[in-house]
Amino acid sequence: MNNFTFYSPTCFVFGKDTENEAGAYVKRFGGTRVLLHYGGGSVIRSGLLDRVKASLEKENIPYLELGGVKPNPRSGLVYEGIDLCRKEGVDFILAVGGGSTIDSSKAIAAGTVYDGDFWDFYEGKRIEQALPVGTILTIAAAGSEGSPDSVITREEGMFKRGASGDAIRPKFSILNPALTETLPPYQTAAGITDIIAHLYERYLTNTKEVEVTDRLIEALLLTMVHEGPRVIADPHNYEARANIMWAGMVAHNNTVGVGRSQDWNSHNIEHELSALYDCAHGAGLAVTMPAVFTYVMNHDVMRFAKAAVRVWGQQMDFDHPEVTAKAGIEALRNFLISIGMPKNFEELGAKEEDIPKLVEVLCYGDGRQGSISGFVTLNAEDCTKIYQMMV
Ligand code: NZQ
Ligand code: ZN
């Protein structure tokens, strides 16, 4: 196991009706003037935003509102939010929504106290300072409620990049699984897929003897395989939604990723798809993961075979471990299709003729030197072949 430090100071408030405590938690973490940030309207339609406002009013905390965050959040609204926070003296940002709203909030939080262009952070500068952020999560997916990361799409060129820093880990995150019951089935499934990807991207490691995190990841994957179909069959299954919501947090606050190298090639390859086609990030991952895994499988066939046996219930073929490994990848693909995810470029809305453009931005955009690195290093030729496997 590699050396590591693990700093995860977020206060998690989990369960029914917990959104009504938002105001008290803002106060506890020092907020006196709040920006309420949200998306395209689901939180208005569900009545959640009104309940959150009431909880702020109960604590006599003034607030401003900035809605309109789009899935795959854009840089334009971040600049608008930074201006607003500076002009109005906002000292706390409360995100009410999904990963996109939380990521946009984190970007505003970092940009408001930074004497420069916030995009610097998305070109690799580490975030050292930010306004405090709190979240009220409405979809189990991105894990941004516990992560030190934010992903934003730059409108000039439509490419997507991530920024990191412990300063943007939320001070508190309110997780009420009942709030996810209004999700359309496709978004629920996309969230499940993203959580599975966060687990696989950590499982694919070159670090030896990391049994504790291997086993934790396998347990979480088994949970997703069990609970995913239950929640698709019955969107009001609170217990299944609760298990998925906590799994989504644990999958991505790095509890299960410490002390080991990680992959993230599938995420990087997918980010170009959701940036260009504006598809759901999880849906893009459903098409990306089986292709990437098949392409890199031989780098460590026993690792894929282990997942196949322990997660997907395959029989180990000791003479031909690659057969077992492949069966595990096929089981993953079939699971994702069974919960309603797309299986290829066409179903995702992606176009084969765009592959050179996707590869160019992926491998050479933003200072990259012709390749991406994770479990294996993939150059432009590898990435071209992987995108072609998705057609
Ligand atoms: O905008 P509204 O109207 O709220 O609708 C949203 C949106 O259309 C809707 N929705 C959310 N909760 C709902 C709901 N509709 C009905 N009822 C509810 N309870 O769902 C749609 C998707 O929302 P979004 O916030 O985009 O989903 P998600 O949480 O999957 O976030 C995706 C973004 O997170 C990034 C992705 O790249 C993508 O941009 N990621 C962020 C990470 C991080 N910060 O650590 C890691 C991830 O790997 C990921 O890259
Ligand atoms: Zn993700």
Side-chain angles (χ1 to χ4, degrees):
M1 199 187 297
N2 299 336
N3 290 3
F4 66 87
T5 57
F6 181 53
Y7 178 74
S8 178
T10 305
C11 173
F12 294 103
V13 186
F14 193 98
K16 289 176 183 163
D17 301 326
T18 44
E19 65 272 19
N20 298 322
E21 298 168 42
Y25 279 95
V26 169
K27 190 176 239 176
R28 174 170 159 188
F29 288 97
T32 64
R33 192 164 170 78
V34 169
L35 178 72
L36 265 182
H37 200 33
Y38 53 90
S42 73
V43 300
I44 298 172
R45 288 190 295 279
S46 67
L48 172 62
L49 195 66
D50 283 342
R51 296 200 292 284
V52 173
K53 286 181 187 173
S55 86
L56 290 170
E57 283 156 16
K58 195 169 138 216
E59 302 293 338
N60 296 314
I61 300 170
Y63 56 83
L64 302 148
E65 289 179 49
L66 181 62
V69 180
K70 293 192 171 129
N72 307 314
R74 311 297 153 88
S75 51
L77 194 66
V78 173
Y79 287 113
E80 206 180 304
I82 292 169
D83 285 348
L84 189 63
C85 286
R86 286 181 181 159
K87 198 168 93 213
E88 298 287 343
V90 165
D91 62 10
F92 197 100
I93 304 188
L94 187 54
V96 190
S100 295
T101 294
I102 299 173
D103 286 1
S104 183
S105 299
K106 289 172 170 179
I108 294 170
T112 300
V113 297
Y114 176 61
D115 192 16
D117 185 347
F118 93 93
W119 192 253
D120 292 349
F121 299 121
Y122 295 77
E123 288 181 335
K125 190 179 170 70
R126 194 138 187 102
I127 300 173
E128 304 287 356
Q129 274 190 312
L131 291 181
V133 173
T135 87
I136 299 162
L137 186 65
T138 61
I139 171 172
S144 190
E145 67 276 14
S147 83
D149 309 315
S150 159
V151 183
I152 300 291
T153 298
R154 179 112 193 141
E155 277 152 313
E156 302 87 54
M158 288 306 277
F159 55 86
K160 207 175 187 187
R161 291 290 179 267
S164 275
D166 284 328
I168 55 168
R169 283 190 190 262
K171 296 294 172 221
F172 69 84
S173 281
I174 290 179
L175 276 55
N176 174 359
L179 297 179
T180 68
E181 288 181 32
T182 52
L183 277 165
Y186 189 83
Q187 288 295 343
T188 296
I192 289 167
T193 309
D194 194 16
I195 295 168
I196 288 174
H198 296 162
L199 295 165
Y200 260 100
E201 299 263 32
R202 290 179 167 88
Y203 199 74
L204 298 184
T205 185
N206 293 309
T207 312
K208 303 289 174 222
E209 309 233 19
V210 280
E211 195 65 7
V212 64
T213 39
D214 270 1
R215 291 287 188 179
L216 286 168
I217 294 171
E218 289 159 10
L220 288 161
L221 282 170
L222 283 165
T223 302
M224 298 311 293
V225 173
H226 178 70
E227 300 292 21
R230 293 207 316 150
V231 90
I232 296 294
D234 175 11
H236 301 292
N237 186 332
Y238 177 86
E239 298 304 337
R241 287 208 178 267
N243 280 300
I244 290 172
M245 197 168 213
W246 191 240
M249 201 300 292
V250 179
H252 203 49
N253 85 332
N254 215 27
T255 301
V256 301
V258 293
R260 53 196 290 148
S261 70
Q262 303 180 9
D263 186 4
W264 303 104
N265 280 336
S266 292
H267 265 68
N268 283 323
I269 290 170
E270 190 292 318
H271 278 163
E272 304 311 337
L273 296 172
S274 47
L276 188 61
Y277 304 111
D278 215 4
C279 57
H281 167 61
L285 285 165
V287 179
T288 305
M289 275 190 290
V292 174
F293 297 172
T294 304
Y295 193 81
V296 306
M297 191 183 88
N298 290 330
H299 174 68
D300 185 351
V301 80
M302 287 309 289
R303 183 146 281 278
F304 282 97
K306 191 160 95 166
V309 171
R310 292 183 181 177
V311 177
W312 300 106
Q314 302 297 316
Q315 286 291 325
M316 184 67 201
D317 182 338
F318 287 98
D319 295 329
H320 304 286
E322 71 284 359
V323 173
T324 312
K326 189 87 184 57
I329 297 168
E330 286 313 307
L332 167 68
R333 189 200 303 272
N334 290 334
F335 174 82
L336 298 173
I337 293 169
S338 79
I339 59 169
M341 286 287 93
K343 64 174 178 302
N344 55 27
F345 256 36
E346 191 187 349
E347 289 183 12
L348 190 66
K351 296 195 187 78
E352 186 175 3
E353 59 265 32
D354 290 337
I355 290 177
K357 186 159 74 179
L358 291 163
V359 172
E360 177 68 24
V361 186
L362 172 66
C363 294
Y364 295 96
D366 256 353
R368 285 188 187 149
Q369 305 286 316
S371 63
I372 54 170
S373 273
F375 185 53
V376 297
T377 297
L378 300 169
N379 63 24
E381 195 187 334
D382 297 317
C383 294
T384 302
K385 286 182 188 158
I386 288 168
Y387 281 127
Q388 278 164 350
M389 287 165 73
M390 302 183 208
V391 175

